[in-house]
Each structure stands twice: as C-alpha cells, then as structure tokens.
C-alpha cells in the first residue's frame, strides 16, 4: 500500500541549529503535503500546507521564516526548523494525499521527534 | 475555524467491557472524518474513515458513526482488550484535505 516516509525519526540538537525533516511519498505522487505539530500531551495541529512547485500556506500563528517548507518534487517535501530553540521541541508529522487516486485516505508519516537542548 | 472536541479525555475500563468514545466538531462542512490510534511516542494508525455521505463504518471490533448535521461522531469498541490501550484521535478533513484533530481520549484497558 501507499506509504509516507519521514526522516529522521528522532533528532536531538543544540539550540540555534537548523534541522531539516524530510517527508517522502514512496509509491505515489503528492501535489500537496501537510505538516502537523504535536506538543507533549496535546493533539496535532496543522502547521502548513505544502504545495509542489509553489509557496507553502501557513496556518495562523506559524512563522513562515522559522519553519521553511520546500516541496520541490511530487514525492518530497521538507520542513526546516531554522535556529531551533527548546520551545520548538515537538513531534512533527507529515501527511500526503495520493492525488491521482481521488478520494483515498491520506497517508501519514511516522513522525519526527525533535528535541532541542 | 473548525474545532474538534473529544470526550472523555481519559478512560479506564476493565478488560472485556464495551466502550464509546465521543467526538464533536463545529463546522459540518467536512469531507471525511477519521479515527486514529496513537501509541505513546509513535505516529498515527488509521482505524476507520467515514466519508461525509456515510453514516457509519465497521472494522472488526470497532464501529464508528457519523452524524454530520449535528457535528458528532462516536467510536464504539467492543470487548476491549489490554492491547487497545492507546490514545484515540478523531480528525475531520476539509475539502482542502487538511485535518483538524481532536484533543484525544487516552484509553487504558485493565487486564
């Protein structure tokens, strides 16, 4: 079945560094991918909609200059957390839709746990 | 903006009991509604998807219902097992394929 792969699954880094998270659709093309964030003991919140070949659309309150999204191909979207700080520590999950198969369930990645020291 | 609420926030039941998890949403203009399971520190496992034109879906011991006009969905789990212990998330999908997640119900099934 269709799979969405996220990499890395866990990253720990120092405050001030930038971290890139990849989201790949392995056996289908995705014109649109979505990025979600989950703080401890909270639910998932939509951060942004990633559109292939164009700028991402960010939800209110999400800083576009801090969370850079690039969707350069139909199978890859990247989220870069720039100058990460401890408050950015969270669980980040992406999802993608198999656009060519119409109304099919979205596929979620396994998530990336980001810990900023 | 769509708001999704789940009740109860936490639930503890003895093994074998049937149980119901509740989900409500504020905007009835949804595309799909989906129930997920999330184990601690893990990603999402899709359990059931109900399209907006459907009233319910069943998979094994799970049954989900949808009343779009009233903005409600329920997830029924029959004959609960310790392996069912997890957080259950309700999510509504809009026509733009964006998901709005509920606050989750943390379920513990006691052996």
């Amino acid at each position: 079945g269709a799979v969405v792969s996220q990499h890395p699954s866990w990253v720990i880094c120092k405050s001030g560094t930038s971290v890139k998270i990849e989201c790949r659709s392995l056996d289908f093309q995705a014109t649109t991918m979505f990025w979600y964030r989950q703080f401890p003991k909270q639910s998932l919140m939509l951060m942004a909609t990633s559109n292939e070949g164009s700028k991402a659309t960010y939800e209110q309150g999400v800083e576009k200059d801090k969370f850079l999204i690039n969707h350069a191909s139909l199978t890859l979207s990247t989220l870069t957390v720039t100058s990460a700080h401890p408050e950015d520590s969270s669980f980040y999950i992406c999802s993608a839709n198999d656009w060519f198969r119409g109304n099919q369930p979205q596929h979620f990645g396994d998530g990336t746990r980001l810990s900023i020291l | 903006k769509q708001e999704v609420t789940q009740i109860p926030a936490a639930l503890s039941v003895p093994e074998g009991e049937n149980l119901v998890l509740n989900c409500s949403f504020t905007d009835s203009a949804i595309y799909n509604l989906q129930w997920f399971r999330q184990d601690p520190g893990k990603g999402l496992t899709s359990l059931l998807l109900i399209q907006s034109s459907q009233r319910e879906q069943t998979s094994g011991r799970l049954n989900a219902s949808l009343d779009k006009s009233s903005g409600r969905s329920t997830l029924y789990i029959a004959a609960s097992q310790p392996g069912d212990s997890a957080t259950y998330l309700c999510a509504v999908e809009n026509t733009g394929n964006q998901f709005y997640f509920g606050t989750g119900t943390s379920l513990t099934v006691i052996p």
Side-chain angles (χ1 to χ4, degrees):
Chain A
V3 176
V4 171
S5 173
Q6 254 183 271
H7 178 80
S9 57
W10 199 334
V11 58
I12 303 173
C13 59
K14 293 181 179 180
S15 183
T17 57
S18 293
V19 179
K20 180 185 284 188
I21 303 170
E22 294 186 348
C23 179
R24 292 181 185 274
S25 56
L26 297 186
D27 58 356
F28 65 96
Q29 294 182 321
T31 56
T32 305
M33 293 183 175
F34 303 91
W35 288 96
Y36 297 84
R37 178 169 56 184
Q38 185 179 35
F39 290 111
K41 299 192 182 301
Q42 295 186 27
S43 194
L44 284 84
M45 297 294 291
L46 177 66
M47 295 178 66
T49 302
S50 172
N51 305 297
E52 187 268 335
S54 65
K55 291 183 179 180
T57 305
Y58 291 83
E59 294 298 294
Q60 190 174 10
V62 178
E63 300 175 59
K64 63 180 181 180
D65 295 330
K66 182 167 186 63
F67 299 99
L68 301 179
I69 292 173
N70 184 282
H71 193 157
S73 78
L74 285 171
T75 59
L76 174 65
S77 174
T78 60
L79 169 67
T80 301
V81 184
T82 61
S83 187
H85 292 285
E87 58 266 29
D88 298 322
S89 298
S90 187
F91 191 56
Y92 293 86
I93 300 181
C94 70
S95 73
N97 212 28
D98 187 345
W99 187 82
F100 293 98
R101 293 187 64 199
N103 187 21
Q104 295 293 317
Q106 274 202 45
H107 307 283
F108 285 81
D110 286 337
T112 297
R113 185 161 302 283
L114 175 62
S115 298
I116 309 298
L117 304 178
Chain B
K1 183 183 175 182
Q2 180 74 269
E3 299 284 344
V4 183
T5 305
Q6 289 184 246
I7 295 173
L11 182 62
S12 184
V13 300
E15 181 177 3
E17 263 200 17
N18 303 324
L19 57 102
V20 176
L21 308 181
N22 296 289
C23 172
S24 61
F25 48 95
T26 55
D27 186 350
S28 62
I30 66 171
Y31 189 54
N32 291 322
L33 183 142
Q34 201 160 348
W35 283 92
F36 294 90
R37 169 186 173 138
Q38 186 177 32
D39 292 287
K42 302 292 185 182
L44 304 177
T45 300
S46 177
L47 299 174
L48 289 166
L49 179 147
I50 310 177
Q51 296 181 10
S52 61
S53 59
Q54 297 175 326
R55 299 283 291 185
E56 69 175 335
Q57 282 288 331
T58 298
S59 176
R61 294 183 293 110
L62 305 180
N63 176 278
S65 69
L66 172 64
D67 184 341
K68 199 173 74 161
S69 61
S70 68
R72 295 180 189 276
S73 175
T74 62
L75 178 66
Y76 175 83
I77 302 177
S80 58
Q81 302 171 358
D84 294 332
S85 298
T87 295
Y88 290 80
L89 296 172
C90 165
V92 297
E93 182 180 0
N94 65 15
T95 53
N97 301 126
Q98 297 164 327
F99 276 84
Y100 293 90
F101 286 84
T103 46
T105 293
S106 177
L107 174 65
T108 302
V109 180
I110 304 166

